[in-house]
Amino acid sequence: MEAQTLRKGSTLGASAALEIAVPLARMLLLSRALPLGELGFASALATAYALYDQVTDMAVHRYVYAERREDLDAALAGAHGLLVLRGLLLAAGALALAPLAATVFGLPGGAGDFAALAGPLAIRGFEHLAPRVAERDYRFGPQLRAGLAGAVLSLLALIATLALGGGHDALTASLYGLALGQTVASHLVARAPYRLTFFGPAFRKALRFGAPLMANGLGLAVAAQGDRVLVGALLGPETLGLYAVAMLAVLVPVSLAQRLMGAVTAAALYNAGERRAGPIRLIARAAPALGALYACGALGCANAGISLAFGARFVPTPEVLALLSAAAMLRIARAEPFTSLLLLEQRTRLVALGNLATLLALLLSAALMLARPQVESALIGRLCGEALALAVTFKLARPLLGTAAHDSFRALALACGLTLAACVPLGSSTTACAIVCAALAGGFFARALFGGAASPLRAGAPP
């Protein structure tokens, strides 16, 4: 059992690591190969692509997660139909909005580059969802293989374009490689046949599940990309290039933590059935501890890592690093078990409401940046948005938490305290406080997640 748990955990970890390895490696290569203006242009393209994708994200694979096993084929067909329709409409929207996007980012001659983003958006619409859905049975290998194919082709396309003298268009080539590689590989590794259903019962059910999550996607897009749009529009492409590196180095790895916790939580709760109180309680304790571990580790080590990987010109100020780290802690803490609980109950409107709270923070960021145009202003708004989204999500999911609500609240208070304590010596010559706080958070996380028979890595088993 221990060997099986370790094998499954390592496969999941590798799959999640791939999702951040590609953007990190891509930015590392671009930052070393391109002048700052071209890097800013590439960052603007990446931001626009992420906005298009996240605003219309319906998490349709989670709809299939929640369906009965005997209905799996029909649910997959309906989800595939919805995914294809979304991809085609999204590509059309990217083409139509290309001139506006170029103007917003201060790149009026770049409309054609923004229009080229339509291709990978359309291609991803034909992805086979079976490898993702297999994760509910703790089978993480198929998605790992699909992701690996996309990562390899993406980086090869990037390197080839740079070698041929390309600039910001290397980013676009990388996105095409990622979309093609992952989509084709998802069909090759899938065990279920690929079928499409348009406007049938399964399609309508998938649409009812996913449509409210477009509002959720809007909130996620604002949380992840809104401040980048403000920085690019108000401070220019070169500042956006510097800002994007700091954001990527500190915040993008957060998706690794969210991916790991999300996959483990969804599978554990699905398989635990009515006996899910134990896993809920443990994850309610573990998620904030993981957030504090990440934030304190970033406060202690991020600047050294950024200087080594990207160069000294990209190292953020102590204030910027503190704001980014605190936002990272809140984002990790507000994800689980709230999101998996609400999605398994198909309460997608409540998931959307939690993330839409970040819209208010975007308004605050815009007001602060207009009053004082600097990156710290944008990050204060980001931090406020994460805090507000956490409060709203906790309130909405509290009835589903049961007695675990008290565990979650105490764990959140502890995580905030550790993160705040780690910020105290920031700017001095020592990072000892941040390292001590990270060690404490790591101890709390290990105790919560692995400390009992009800561990979500042990709870439940696929039939």
Side-chain angles (χ1 to χ4, degrees):
M1 175 64 74
E2 293 295 334
Q4 185 181 32
T5 299
L6 180 61
R7 184 172 62 255
K8 290 177 178 178
S10 61
T11 305
L12 172 60
S15 179
L18 267 180
E19 296 180 9
I20 67 166
V22 173
L24 280 173
R26 187 166 59 206
M27 183 59 79
L28 177 61
L29 291 168
L30 291 173
S31 65
R32 294 291 187 177
L34 299 181
L36 199 53
E38 282 291 291
L39 179 64
F41 199 152
S43 299
L45 291 171
T47 299
Y49 182 85
L51 273 173
Y52 295 145
D53 187 47
Q54 291 173 352
V55 165
T56 58
D57 184 18
M58 295 184 175
V60 289
H61 67 285
R62 289 296 190 104
Y63 150 69
V64 186
Y65 251 50
E67 289 297 284
R68 298 177 301 175
R69 295 182 188 278
E70 55 267 30
D71 297 329
L72 178 62
D73 289 343
L76 274 173
H80 286 148
L82 183 58
L83 198 64
V84 168
L85 185 61
R86 169 188 175 266
L88 296 177
L89 292 175
L90 192 53
L95 289 171
L97 292 173
L100 176 62
T103 301
V104 167
F105 283 103
L107 300 163
D113 296 280
F114 284 94
L117 299 176
L121 291 169
I123 292 168
R124 288 297 299 273
F126 293 89
E127 181 182 353
H128 201 309
L129 293 175
R132 290 183 181 272
V133 176
E135 292 182 351
R136 75 177 185 178
D137 293 330
Y138 300 99
R139 291 193 292 112
F140 305 113
Q143 184 60 24
L144 172 60
R145 291 191 288 275
L148 185 60
V152 169
L153 194 57
S154 175
L155 294 179
L156 286 176
L158 177 74
I159 293 170
T161 306
L162 290 175
L164 293 172
H168 59 268
D169 53 333
L171 184 280
T172 308
S174 176
L175 293 176
Y176 272 91
L178 181 64
L180 281 169
Q182 189 160 334
T183 300
V184 172
S186 70
H187 288 264
L188 295 176
V189 302
R191 295 183 180 180
Y194 182 76
R195 296 192 178 96
L196 294 172
T197 297
F198 293 100
F199 310 115
F203 177 90
R204 290 193 294 271
K205 192 172 183 180
L207 182 60
R208 286 195 299 271
F209 177 92
L213 289 178
M214 288 185 66
N216 177 65
L218 177 60
L220 290 174
V222 168
Q225 310 296 334
D227 50 347
R228 299 190 194 199
V229 175
L230 288 173
V231 170
L234 298 178
L235 302 180
E238 292 193 359
T239 302
L240 176 60
L242 295 169
Y243 185 73
V245 170
M247 291 283 293
L248 188 76
V250 179
L251 284 185
V252 167
V254 168
S255 62
L256 172 61
Q258 291 179 313
R259 173 83 167 85
L260 290 169
M261 292 295 290
V264 169
T265 303
L269 297 184
Y270 176 82
N271 289 291
E274 298 299 322
R275 297 175 287 106
R276 64 189 190 186
I280 291 175
R281 179 171 289 107
L282 292 185
I283 292 183
R285 297 170 181 171
L290 179 61
L293 170 61
Y294 181 86
C296 296
L299 285 163
C301 306
N303 275 353
I306 291 172
S307 179
L308 180 64
F310 299 99
R313 64 174 175 164
F314 293 105
V315 172
T317 66
E319 294 77 16
V320 167
L321 181 59
L323 291 168
L324 284 172
S325 300
M329 184 276 292
L330 293 174
R331 184 180 296 184
I332 294 172
R334 74 177 174 91
E336 299 295 346
F338 315 114
T339 301
S340 290
L341 276 172
L342 292 171
L343 288 179
L344 283 174
E345 295 292 328
Q346 299 198 11
R347 301 187 185 183
T348 53
R349 290 181 177 84
L350 298 185
V351 177
L353 283 175
N355 283 307
L356 279 174
T358 56
L359 286 173
L360 295 177
L362 181 63
L363 297 177
L364 175 61
S365 294
L368 290 173
M369 288 195 69
L370 289 172
R372 192 172 184 181
Q374 57 184 29
V375 294
E376 288 85 352
S377 301
L379 290 174
I380 290 172
R382 171 182 282 272
L383 182 61
C384 291
E386 295 291 350
L388 181 59
L390 172 60
V392 173
T393 302
F394 184 89
K395 177 68 175 178
L396 295 174
R398 185 165 185 170
L400 298 177
L401 291 172
T403 57
H406 298 289
D407 297 86
S408 180
F409 184 79
R410 288 194 293 268
L412 286 169
L414 177 64
C416 291
L418 286 172
T419 304
L420 182 61
C423 289
V424 170
L426 199 65
S428 68
S429 59
T430 178
T431 59
C433 186
I435 293 173
V436 169
C437 290
L440 290 173
F444 288 121
F445 173 71
R447 180 179 178 184
L449 196 58
F450 303 106
S455 167
L457 292 179
R458 304 167 187 253

